[in-house]
């Protein structure tokens, strides 16, 4: 199938709405219980709620956070030639005529209580599917005598205005080892140039992410009204933080003897746990790597992260479900809900889904919401027992919205059709926080 016909088929395959039912639209007398009704338009954010929007484009990873007081953050905004993967590509939605940075910005405008103003942005690590790059871009113009290219965050910034950026190793790219400017389609050089321009023209502040910090990412508008909300930074640059703030450097403890001068950029990913009352949420970018020890054995850094993690209610899957979520981390987190950001047929692979479905790791039900679980993936995985964890709403491209009640004792997952910009609800489901 050529590129044009592939695009047409991708759009057509995402056109139908697989809506699910929901029972009950009202709470006790005199109160209103808001639910999202399948087939109707998503109703928006309400003050006091903590929301995360996992935005599907079929190209990269992006998540938009709305804290209880209305403070906002865009975590990752990737762009790369995903459709160039051919048979491995998934549908690019709403369509491929625009790059993902524009689709993300347009989505943020629709849901952001502050319109185009976004308080924080964060790049989990320097891969183009999370940050953008200089080799796959929507356009360019000259700035300070050199081409300035619009890709990922730099394209989104044509519409959105960011207040502060959190970066894994700013102001240099040398923690723990230098990254060459041409790394991964020149992603580091691209982001440095983006920072420089935004600092000059828009007053962007850039700050290094502090592993172990408990107040670096905080509410800016009315924090005093929501004392139960906080974010704890748990990993970054190959380091992980104990609950007491002690920081372990995995690349000093466990030497990668195969490549002593090499690091896996995925393992540098920034991660944190967000708490709202008893509710807990985990995210850690693409955090994954296998380190070879002196005796020839291997250790998975996700298992090491599991040693410092506590149970959560919702977990974003590391590395898009591509050979990730090792048993030690799964057991430590023990979430009810997993969310996976997908842009490739090789995401949510059998080993990953087996890990999260393994009932010997922890008891209780669990469900996976993925941006898409395409027919090719379903056919290849047909009949596997772990398919039971995949919610059918994942079959078509969907945005996934996590909404946590002000009490922190209940939360919901809404899936929204990504085939257009109508914000049409596909499914809605409520959960009780385990904590």
């Amino acid at each position: 199938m050529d590129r044009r016909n592939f695009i047409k088929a991708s759009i057509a395959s995402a056109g139908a709405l697989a809506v699910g039912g929901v029972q009950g639209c009202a709470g006790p007398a005199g109160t209103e219980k808001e639910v999202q009704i399948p087939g109707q338009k998503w109703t928006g954010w309400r003050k006091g709620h903590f929301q995360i929007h996992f935005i599907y484009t079929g190209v990269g990873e992006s998540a938009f956070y709305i804290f209880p007081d209305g403070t906002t953050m865009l975590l990752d905004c990737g762009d790369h030639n995903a459709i160039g993967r051919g048979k491995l590509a998934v549908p690019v939605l709403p369509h491929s005529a625009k790059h993902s940075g524009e689709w993300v910005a347009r989505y943020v405008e629709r849901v952001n209580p502050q319109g185009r103003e976004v308080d924080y942005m964060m790049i989990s690590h320097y891969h183009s599917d999370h940050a953008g790059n200089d080799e796959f871009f929507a356009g360019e113009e000259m700035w300070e005598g050199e081409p300035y290219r619009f890709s990922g965050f730099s394209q989104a910034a044509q519409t959105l205005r960011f207040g502060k950026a959190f970066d894994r190793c700013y102001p240099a790219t040398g923690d723990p080892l230098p990254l060459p400017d041409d790394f991964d389609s020149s992603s580091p050089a691209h982001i440095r140039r983006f920072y420089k321009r935004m600092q000059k023209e828009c007053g962007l502040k850039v700050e290094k992410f502090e592993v172990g910090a408990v107040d670096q990412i905080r509410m800016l508008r009315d924090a005093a009204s929501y004392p139960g909300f906080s974010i704890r930074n748990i990993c970054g640059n190959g380091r992980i933080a104990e609950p007491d703030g002690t920081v372990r450097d995995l690349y000093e403890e466990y030497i990668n003897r195969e490549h002593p001068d090499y690091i896996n950029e995925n393992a540098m990913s920034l991660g944190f746990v967000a708490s709202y009352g008893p509710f807990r949420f985990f995210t850690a970018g693409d955090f994954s790597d296998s380190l070879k020890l002196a005796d020839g054995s291997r250790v998975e850094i996700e298992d090491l992260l599991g040693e410092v993690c506590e149970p959560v209610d919702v977990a974003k899957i590391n590395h898009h479900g591509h050979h990730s979520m090792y048993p030690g981390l799964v057991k430590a987190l023990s979430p009810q809900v997993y969310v996976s950001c997908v842009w490739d047929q090789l995401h949510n692979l059998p080993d990953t889904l087996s890990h999260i479905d393994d009932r010997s790791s922890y008891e209780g039900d669990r469900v996976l919401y993925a941006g898409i679980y395409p027919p090719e993936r379903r056919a290849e995985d047909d009949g596997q027992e772990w398919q039971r964890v995949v919610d059918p709403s994942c079959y078509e491209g969907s945005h996934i919205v996590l909404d946590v009640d002000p009490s922190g004792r209940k939360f919901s997952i809404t899936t929204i059709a990504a085939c257009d910009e109508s914000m049409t609800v596909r499914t809605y489901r409520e959960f009780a926080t385990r904590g």
Side-chain angles (χ1 to χ4, degrees), residues 319-397:
H319 201 202
H320 319 279
H322 180 81
H323 304 308
S324 63
M325 302 306 291
Y326 276 78
L329 180 59
V330 168
K331 183 176 182 178
L333 296 175
S334 302
Q336 297 184 68
V337 175
Y338 294 88
V339 177
S340 181
C341 301
V342 178
W343 55 259
D344 194 271
Q345 295 282 350
L346 297 182
H347 293 166
N348 298 323
L349 290 177
D351 59 341
T352 301
L353 295 188
S354 295
H355 294 157
I356 69 175
D357 180 54
D358 184 0
R359 269 39 181 190
S360 69
S361 292
Y362 66 100
E363 297 180 353
D365 294 335
R366 73 283 317 256
V367 60
L368 166 66
Y369 287 90
I372 195 169
Y373 190 50
E376 299 89 341
R377 181 83 260 148
R378 299 200 303 273
E380 186 168 333
D381 299 343
D382 186 47
Q384 298 296 327
E385 186 176 25
W386 41 256
Q387 277 198 319
R388 60 186 174 177
V389 304
V390 182
D391 190 274
S393 64
C394 303
Y395 293 174
E396 308 292 340

Side-chain angles (χ1 to χ4, degrees), residues 154-370:
S154 62
Q155 186 185 19
Q158 291 185 287
T159 300
L160 306 176
R161 181 185 175 98
F162 301 106
K164 179 185 284 187
F166 295 112
D167 185 275
R168 79 167 182 83
C169 51
Y170 184 84
T173 57
D175 186 6
L177 293 173
L179 278 176
D181 283 346
D182 61 355
F183 175 79
D184 191 34
S185 304
S186 301
S187 185
H190 172 80
I191 290 300
R192 287 298 179 273
R193 191 156 169 77
F194 163 71
Y195 286 158
K196 183 179 180 181
R197 183 168 184 176
M198 293 300 100
Q199 286 171 316
K200 285 189 173 184
E201 297 183 356
C202 305
L204 176 72
K205 297 178 175 61
V206 187
E207 189 174 295
K208 184 174 180 177
F209 183 88
E210 300 173 13
V211 177
V214 296
D215 60 356
Q216 185 178 31
I217 307 171
R218 58 186 182 272
M219 291 182 288
L220 301 176
R221 291 180 163 77
D222 187 13
S225 294
Y226 308 101
F229 181 82
S230 65
I231 290 180
R232 182 172 72 90
N233 299 348
I234 60 171
C235 64
N237 295 338
R239 303 180 182 99
I240 57 177
E242 304 274 2
D244 65 359
T246 303
V247 177
R248 296 171 56 188
D249 189 326
L250 304 182
Y251 283 77
E252 287 186 358
E253 291 185 33
Y254 300 90
I255 303 301
N256 189 335
R257 297 181 183 277
E258 290 181 336
H259 304 284
D261 59 348
Y262 165 83
I263 59 169
N264 179 346
E265 180 62 16
N266 289 330
M268 303 298 108
S269 292
L270 307 183
F272 57 80
V273 171
S275 302
Y276 195 20
F279 174 85
R280 302 288 183 272
F281 167 78
F282 164 92
T283 183
D286 286 355
F287 189 88
S288 58
D289 195 9
S290 178
L291 301 181
K292 186 176 181 180
L293 307 184
D295 62 4
S297 63
R298 290 187 175 272
V299 59
E300 297 294 337
I301 65 169
E302 287 181 287
D303 287 336
L304 299 177
L305 182 59
E307 293 177 6
V308 304
C309 286
E310 298 174 342
V312 300
D313 296 283
V314 181
K316 187 196 78 72
I317 287 181
N318 290 339
H319 201 202
H320 319 279
H322 180 81
H323 304 308
S324 63
M325 302 306 291
Y326 276 78
L329 180 59
V330 168
K331 183 176 182 178
L333 296 175
S334 302
Q336 297 184 68
V337 175
Y338 294 88
V339 177
S340 181
C341 301
V342 178
W343 55 259
D344 194 271
Q345 295 282 350
L346 297 182
H347 293 166
N348 298 323
L349 290 177
D351 59 341
T352 301
L353 295 188
S354 295
H355 294 157
I356 69 175
D357 180 54
D358 184 0
R359 269 39 181 190
S360 69
S361 292
Y362 66 100
E363 297 180 353
D365 294 335
R366 73 283 317 256
V367 60
L368 166 66
Y369 287 90

Side-chain angles (χ1 to χ4, degrees), residues 16-230:
L17 297 182
V19 299
V22 62
Q23 294 181 347
C25 298
T31 67
E32 180 182 353
K33 176 184 176 184
E34 179 177 303
V35 300
Q36 304 296 336
I37 308 300
Q40 296 187 13
K41 186 176 180 179
W42 180 74
T43 58
W45 172 80
R46 290 189 295 168
K47 190 173 183 179
H49 285 243
F50 172 40
Q51 279 187 355
I52 307 175
H53 296 251
F54 301 92
I55 305 170
Y56 178 86
T57 61
V59 173
E61 181 163 320
S62 189
F64 184 66
Y65 290 64
I66 309 176
F67 300 166
D69 72 335
T71 299
T72 56
M73 177 172 71
L74 184 62
L75 172 55
D76 289 335
C77 185
D79 193 17
H80 73 301
N81 188 19
I83 203 167
R85 300 273 288 163
K87 291 181 179 180
L88 292 178
V90 295
V92 176
L93 300 177
H95 53 74
S96 63
K98 301 180 186 296
H99 279 245
S100 59
E102 181 173 350
W103 288 129
V104 169
R106 289 161 68 110
Y107 184 97
V108 168
E109 277 195 284
R110 294 196 295 273
V111 305
N112 185 6
Q114 314 304 332
R116 294 185 175 185
E117 300 293 321
V118 178
D119 297 300
Y120 300 128
M121 58 163 283
M122 181 189 296
I123 299 170
S124 65
H125 61 295
Y126 287 106
H127 276 159
S128 55
D129 61 315
H130 293 257
N133 64 88
D134 267 348
E135 296 183 13
F136 188 76
F137 49 90
E140 66 177 7
E141 62 186 28
M142 296 301 294
W143 184 70
E144 293 191 339
E146 297 180 1
Y148 181 89
R149 290 166 176 163
F150 300 104
S151 175
F153 272 109
S154 62
Q155 186 185 19
Q158 291 185 287
T159 300
L160 306 176
R161 181 185 175 98
F162 301 106
K164 179 185 284 187
F166 295 112
D167 185 275
R168 79 167 182 83
C169 51
Y170 184 84
T173 57
D175 186 6
L177 293 173
L179 278 176
D181 283 346
D182 61 355
F183 175 79
D184 191 34
S185 304
S186 301
S187 185
H190 172 80
I191 290 300
R192 287 298 179 273
R193 191 156 169 77
F194 163 71
Y195 286 158
K196 183 179 180 181
R197 183 168 184 176
M198 293 300 100
Q199 286 171 316
K200 285 189 173 184
E201 297 183 356
C202 305
L204 176 72
K205 297 178 175 61
V206 187
E207 189 174 295
K208 184 174 180 177
F209 183 88
E210 300 173 13
V211 177
V214 296
D215 60 356
Q216 185 178 31
I217 307 171
R218 58 186 182 272
M219 291 182 288
L220 301 176
R221 291 180 163 77
D222 187 13
S225 294
Y226 308 101
F229 181 82
S230 65

